[in-house]
Amino acid sequence: MSEIAKEFGIVEALAALGIKETNNGSSTGPESFASGHLIESYSPVDGSLISKVKSTSREDYEKVMEKAMEAFKIWRAKPAPQRGEIIRQFGNRLRELKEPLGKLVSYEMGKSYQEGRGEVQEMIDICDFAVGLSRQLHGLTMHSERPGHRMYEQYHSLGVVGIISAFNFPVAVWSWNTALAWVCGDVCVWKPSEKTPLCGIACQNIAASVFKENNLPRGYFMSYQRRLSSRGIYDSG
């Protein structure tokens, strides 16, 4: 680690976020695994190697999707206010880790520290919005042609939501999608940018800790690390 990184407190930030020297790039929440090639993350600030991520193979990806479908059946049945409570705790954990996560965003992506902290604040803000939304998933009630009867609308969860995010907003854009999908009863599978893989690992670690504290048996947020070809198709590396 360079002198700039040490002065900026990157070593402490990585430790606080659970980032290791080599990290598994596939996760189902309580379990992380990977059998693909290594992705090395270098900081554009000083060119230093920050850490490595073992990427997702096709077999790993299939395992992630299988667990996501299993988790969806449980998550969608949980009342929306209870889902909102999980998101509230996730937002509070982000408040606790705003400084280290903001530093990681800055150092791995290359934007200023103020912008890195700003991204984390956007994550916190969307969590607050989703918590309020958890008690506002209303449906219309309508008069029926039958005497003594009424009709009503009821929203149903979509299923597994796929999220692919870019390197320039490595955490904020993901959280906009995830918090709203979670509160609506959907399970998220996230493919972070291979240019900022450690931000994805950090977010996965934070979410997994909250799920574990709430005794959720499976992860309701999955992530995987993989390179994309210019055509948007997964490469074979």
mmCIF file of all heavy atoms in Angstrom, residues 61-80:
data_model
loop_
_atom_site.group_PDB
_atom_site.id
_atom_site.type_symbol
_atom_site.label_atom_id
_atom_site.label_comp_id
_atom_site.label_asym_id
_atom_site.label_seq_id
_atom_site.Cartn_x
_atom_site.Cartn_y
_atom_site.Cartn_z
ATOM 1 N N TYR A 61 -22.455 -18.536 -11.092
ATOM 2 C CA TYR A 61 -23.606 -17.700 -11.433
ATOM 3 C C TYR A 61 -24.911 -18.493 -11.317
ATOM 4 O O TYR A 61 -25.913 -17.988 -10.779
ATOM 5 C CB TYR A 61 -23.451 -17.138 -12.847
ATOM 6 C CG TYR A 61 -24.664 -16.407 -13.344
ATOM 7 C CD1 TYR A 61 -24.951 -15.113 -12.915
ATOM 8 C CD2 TYR A 61 -25.539 -17.015 -14.243
ATOM 9 C CE1 TYR A 61 -26.077 -14.450 -13.361
ATOM 10 C CE2 TYR A 61 -26.658 -16.353 -14.694
ATOM 11 C CZ TYR A 61 -26.927 -15.071 -14.259
ATOM 12 O OH TYR A 61 -28.055 -14.428 -14.702
ATOM 13 N N GLU A 62 -24.910 -19.721 -11.803
ATOM 14 C CA GLU A 62 -26.116 -20.549 -11.713
ATOM 15 C C GLU A 62 -26.491 -20.803 -10.250
ATOM 16 O O GLU A 62 -27.670 -20.830 -9.891
ATOM 17 C CB GLU A 62 -25.903 -21.874 -12.441
ATOM 18 C CG GLU A 62 -25.760 -21.744 -13.952
ATOM 19 C CD GLU A 62 -26.993 -21.131 -14.605
ATOM 20 O OE1 GLU A 62 -28.111 -21.311 -14.066
ATOM 21 O OE2 GLU A 62 -26.842 -20.475 -15.653
ATOM 22 N N LYS A 63 -25.480 -20.963 -9.407
ATOM 23 C CA LYS A 63 -25.740 -21.167 -7.979
ATOM 24 C C LYS A 63 -26.353 -19.917 -7.358
ATOM 25 O O LYS A 63 -27.288 -19.998 -6.553
ATOM 26 C CB LYS A 63 -24.443 -21.530 -7.254
ATOM 27 C CG LYS A 63 -24.613 -21.825 -5.786
ATOM 28 C CD LYS A 63 -23.297 -22.254 -5.151
ATOM 29 C CE LYS A 63 -23.466 -22.552 -3.670
ATOM 30 N NZ LYS A 63 -22.187 -22.988 -3.037
ATOM 31 N N VAL A 64 -25.832 -18.749 -7.753
ATOM 32 C CA VAL A 64 -26.383 -17.488 -7.262
ATOM 33 C C VAL A 64 -27.856 -17.371 -7.643
ATOM 34 O O VAL A 64 -28.706 -17.012 -6.820
ATOM 35 C CB VAL A 64 -25.578 -16.296 -7.826
ATOM 36 C CG1 VAL A 64 -26.326 -14.986 -7.627
ATOM 37 C CG2 VAL A 64 -24.212 -16.215 -7.155
ATOM 38 N N MET A 65 -28.183 -17.659 -8.889
ATOM 39 C CA MET A 65 -29.563 -17.528 -9.348
ATOM 40 C C MET A 65 -30.486 -18.535 -8.674
ATOM 41 O O MET A 65 -31.638 -18.224 -8.353
ATOM 42 C CB MET A 65 -29.613 -17.701 -10.865
ATOM 43 C CG MET A 65 -28.960 -16.574 -11.648
ATOM 44 S SD MET A 65 -29.639 -14.932 -11.224
ATOM 45 C CE MET A 65 -31.363 -15.162 -11.656
ATOM 46 N N GLU A 66 -29.980 -19.727 -8.440
ATOM 47 C CA GLU A 66 -30.785 -20.739 -7.748
ATOM 48 C C GLU A 66 -31.140 -20.277 -6.338
ATOM 49 O O GLU A 66 -32.303 -20.388 -5.904
ATOM 50 C CB GLU A 66 -30.015 -22.062 -7.693
ATOM 51 C CG GLU A 66 -30.755 -23.182 -6.988
ATOM 52 C CD GLU A 66 -29.941 -24.457 -6.893
ATOM 53 O OE1 GLU A 66 -28.883 -24.535 -7.544
ATOM 54 O OE2 GLU A 66 -30.364 -25.374 -6.162
ATOM 55 N N LYS A 67 -30.160 -19.743 -5.614
ATOM 56 C CA LYS A 67 -30.409 -19.261 -4.260
ATOM 57 C C LYS A 67 -31.326 -18.037 -4.280
ATOM 58 O O LYS A 67 -32.143 -17.845 -3.370
ATOM 59 C CB LYS A 67 -29.088 -18.916 -3.583
ATOM 60 C CG LYS A 67 -28.197 -20.107 -3.315
ATOM 61 C CD LYS A 67 -28.836 -21.078 -2.336
ATOM 62 C CE LYS A 67 -27.894 -22.228 -2.020
ATOM 63 N NZ LYS A 67 -28.518 -23.206 -1.070
ATOM 64 N N ALA A 68 -31.196 -17.199 -5.310
ATOM 65 C CA ALA A 68 -32.049 -16.012 -5.406
ATOM 66 C C ALA A 68 -33.508 -16.407 -5.561
ATOM 67 O O ALA A 68 -34.399 -15.803 -4.941
ATOM 68 C CB ALA A 68 -31.593 -15.147 -6.581
ATOM 69 N N MET A 69 -33.785 -17.405 -6.366
ATOM 70 C CA MET A 69 -35.160 -17.855 -6.561
ATOM 71 C C MET A 69 -35.734 -18.456 -5.278
ATOM 72 O O MET A 69 -36.910 -18.258 -4.961
ATOM 73 C CB MET A 69 -35.215 -18.880 -7.697
ATOM 74 C CG MET A 69 -34.913 -18.298 -9.075
ATOM 75 S SD MET A 69 -36.070 -16.963 -9.538
ATOM 76 C CE MET A 69 -37.620 -17.875 -9.552
ATOM 77 N N GLU A 70 -34.900 -19.166 -4.542
ATOM 78 C CA GLU A 70 -35.350 -19.726 -3.257
ATOM 79 C C GLU A 70 -35.657 -18.609 -2.271
ATOM 80 O O GLU A 70 -36.665 -18.652 -1.556
ATOM 81 C CB GLU A 70 -34.279 -20.654 -2.688
ATOM 82 C CG GLU A 70 -34.054 -21.923 -3.478
ATOM 83 C CD GLU A 70 -32.920 -22.762 -2.912
ATOM 84 O OE1 GLU A 70 -32.353 -22.366 -1.858
ATOM 85 O OE2 GLU A 70 -32.583 -23.803 -3.508
ATOM 86 N N ALA A 71 -34.787 -17.618 -2.214
ATOM 87 C CA ALA A 71 -34.957 -16.522 -1.261
ATOM 88 C C ALA A 71 -36.189 -15.691 -1.589
ATOM 89 O O ALA A 71 -36.865 -15.192 -0.679
ATOM 90 C CB ALA A 71 -33.715 -15.631 -1.268
ATOM 91 N N PHE A 72 -36.495 -15.529 -2.863
ATOM 92 C CA PHE A 72 -37.644 -14.725 -3.274
ATOM 93 C C PHE A 72 -38.944 -15.261 -2.685
ATOM 94 O O PHE A 72 -39.816 -14.488 -2.271
ATOM 95 C CB PHE A 72 -37.732 -14.678 -4.798
ATOM 96 C CG PHE A 72 -38.982 -14.030 -5.305
ATOM 97 C CD1 PHE A 72 -39.265 -12.693 -5.027
ATOM 98 C CD2 PHE A 72 -39.895 -14.754 -6.056
ATOM 99 C CE1 PHE A 72 -40.432 -12.092 -5.489
ATOM 100 C CE2 PHE A 72 -41.061 -14.170 -6.516
ATOM 101 C CZ PHE A 72 -41.332 -12.838 -6.235
ATOM 102 N N LYS A 73 -39.093 -16.564 -2.610
ATOM 103 C CA LYS A 73 -40.325 -17.154 -2.090
ATOM 104 C C LYS A 73 -40.547 -16.776 -0.627
ATOM 105 O O LYS A 73 -41.693 -16.693 -0.166
ATOM 106 C CB LYS A 73 -40.266 -18.675 -2.235
ATOM 107 C CG LYS A 73 -40.193 -19.138 -3.683
ATOM 108 C CD LYS A 73 -40.017 -20.649 -3.767
ATOM 109 C CE LYS A 73 -39.882 -21.110 -5.215
ATOM 110 N NZ LYS A 73 -39.668 -22.586 -5.307
ATOM 111 N N ILE A 74 -39.462 -16.573 0.104
ATOM 112 C CA ILE A 74 -39.563 -16.198 1.522
ATOM 113 C C ILE A 74 -39.712 -14.682 1.667
ATOM 114 O O ILE A 74 -40.551 -14.190 2.415
ATOM 115 C CB ILE A 74 -38.327 -16.679 2.299
ATOM 116 C CG1 ILE A 74 -38.200 -18.207 2.192
ATOM 117 C CG2 ILE A 74 -38.380 -16.239 3.760
ATOM 118 C CD1 ILE A 74 -36.928 -18.760 2.787
ATOM 119 N N TRP A 75 -38.883 -13.926 0.932
ATOM 120 C CA TRP A 75 -38.854 -12.471 1.076
ATOM 121 C C TRP A 75 -40.172 -11.828 0.669
ATOM 122 O O TRP A 75 -40.647 -10.891 1.299
ATOM 123 C CB TRP A 75 -37.696 -11.922 0.259
ATOM 124 C CG TRP A 75 -37.429 -10.461 0.403
ATOM 125 C CD1 TRP A 75 -37.524 -9.516 -0.566
ATOM 126 C CD2 TRP A 75 -36.997 -9.764 1.586
ATOM 127 N NE1 TRP A 75 -37.174 -8.281 -0.075
ATOM 128 C CE2 TRP A 75 -36.854 -8.413 1.251
ATOM 129 C CE3 TRP A 75 -36.719 -10.168 2.890
ATOM 130 C CZ2 TRP A 75 -36.450 -7.444 2.162
ATOM 131 C CZ3 TRP A 75 -36.314 -9.210 3.802
ATOM 132 C CH2 TRP A 75 -36.179 -7.865 3.439
ATOM 133 N N ARG A 76 -40.803 -12.326 -0.397
ATOM 134 C CA ARG A 76 -42.041 -11.726 -0.880
ATOM 135 C C ARG A 76 -43.187 -11.915 0.105
ATOM 136 O O ARG A 76 -44.138 -11.135 0.116
ATOM 137 C CB ARG A 76 -42.438 -12.325 -2.234
ATOM 138 C CG ARG A 76 -42.864 -13.786 -2.184
ATOM 139 C CD ARG A 76 -43.240 -14.306 -3.552
ATOM 140 N NE ARG A 76 -43.622 -15.721 -3.498
ATOM 141 C CZ ARG A 76 -43.975 -16.436 -4.570
ATOM 142 N NH1 ARG A 76 -43.980 -15.865 -5.760
ATOM 143 N NH2 ARG A 76 -44.298 -17.717 -4.448
ATOM 144 N N ALA A 77 -43.105 -12.970 0.947
ATOM 145 C CA ALA A 77 -44.149 -13.253 1.921
ATOM 146 C C ALA A 77 -43.996 -12.432 3.199
ATOM 147 O O ALA A 77 -44.920 -12.382 4.023
ATOM 148 C CB ALA A 77 -44.164 -14.747 2.263
ATOM 149 N N LYS A 78 -42.860 -11.797 3.379
ATOM 150 C CA LYS A 78 -42.637 -10.975 4.570
ATOM 151 C C LYS A 78 -43.401 -9.667 4.403
ATOM 152 O O LYS A 78 -43.322 -9.022 3.352
ATOM 153 C CB LYS A 78 -41.147 -10.709 4.765
ATOM 154 C CG LYS A 78 -40.800 -10.021 6.076
ATOM 155 C CD LYS A 78 -39.296 -9.912 6.248
ATOM 156 C CE LYS A 78 -38.689 -11.257 6.569
ATOM 157 N NZ LYS A 78 -39.102 -11.747 7.909
ATOM 158 N N PRO A 79 -44.177 -9.241 5.403
ATOM 159 C CA PRO A 79 -44.932 -7.988 5.287
ATOM 160 C C PRO A 79 -44.023 -6.808 4.957
ATOM 161 O O PRO A 79 -42.886 -6.733 5.433
ATOM 162 C CB PRO A 79 -45.573 -7.828 6.666
ATOM 163 C CG PRO A 79 -45.661 -9.228 7.201
ATOM 164 C CD PRO A 79 -44.446 -9.934 6.671
ATOM 165 N N ALA A 80 -44.526 -5.904 4.138
ATOM 166 C CA ALA A 80 -43.718 -4.776 3.676
ATOM 167 C C ALA A 80 -43.118 -3.954 4.820
ATOM 168 O O ALA A 80 -41.948 -3.553 4.732
ATOM 169 C CB ALA A 80 -44.538 -3.890 2.748
#
